[in-house]
């Protein structure tokens, strides 16, 4: 969710560099998921890479999990731009791992059907889906960092 939001806000800022108002409306930010220019894509990737580089240099941080999750319009192929793909274009340092829910859900949709809030154009997850997703993420991370005897399910 946060990287999706980061992506949308970054893309909005690209278009509004000379405008001091960064008030975003849903239609302003989701349009970047339909199409972006090459320079907009490069700007996003460069911004994300710079963030990763900064965090990677912090010796107190041992592991970072970047999590991307598809919107409903990614699953029905209405959106053409996917943040997961943009993250995959970046050569991640060893301490980073991308948890790509676009890929995970295609292989095993453990969340089931109707995972989003009804009539929500922004594709917020239902409460049940949020709970299942959080459990999955924690179990995945605990397994990766070898924390024994901790399971949420």
């Amino acid at each position: 969710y946060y990287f999706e939001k980061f992506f949308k806000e970054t893309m909005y800022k690209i278009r509004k560099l000379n405008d001091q108002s960064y008030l975003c409306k849903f239609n302003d930010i989701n349009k970047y998921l339909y199409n972006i220019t090459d320079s907009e894509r490069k700007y996003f990737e460069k911004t994300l890479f710079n963030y990763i580089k900064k965090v990677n240099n912090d010796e107190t941080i041992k592991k970072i999990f970047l999590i991307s999750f598809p919107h409903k319009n990614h699953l029905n192929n209405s959106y053409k731009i996917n943040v997961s793909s943009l993250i995959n274009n970046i050569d991640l340092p060893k301490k980073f791992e991308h948890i790509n829910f676009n890929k995970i859900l295609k292989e095993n949709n453990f969340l089931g059907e109707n995972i989003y809030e009804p009539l929500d154009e922004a594709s917020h997850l239902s409460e049940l889906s949020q709970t299942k997703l959080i459990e999955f993420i924690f179990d995945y991370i605990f397994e990766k960092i070898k924390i024994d005897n901790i399971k949420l399910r």
Side-chain angles (χ1 to χ4, degrees), residues 38-50:
D38 191 48
S39 63
E40 291 165 340
R41 179 190 51 77
K42 286 179 182 176
Y43 177 80
F44 175 80
E45 289 174 353
K46 178 183 174 190
T47 303
L48 181 56
F49 178 78
N50 288 337

Side-chain angles (χ1 to χ4, degrees), residues 49 52-53 55-57 61-66 90-98 144-145:
F49 178 78
I52 288 169
K53 188 170 133 184
V55 174
N56 193 50
N57 289 334
I61 298 174
K62 303 299 179 203
K63 186 76 174 171
I64 298 287
F65 293 91
L66 299 176
I90 296 172
D91 187 25
L92 295 175
K94 287 185 180 184
K95 74 164 75 171
F96 284 78
E97 182 174 340
H98 178 204
K144 288 291 184 174
I145 60 174

Side-chain angles (χ1 to χ4, degrees), residues 13-28:
K13 289 176 185 178
I14 291 169
R15 301 265 184 175
K16 302 292 182 184
L17 287 176
N18 294 326
D19 181 2
Q20 295 304 309
S21 170
Y22 291 116
L23 231 59
C24 298
K25 296 198 174 9
F26 183 72
N27 288 336
D28 293 329

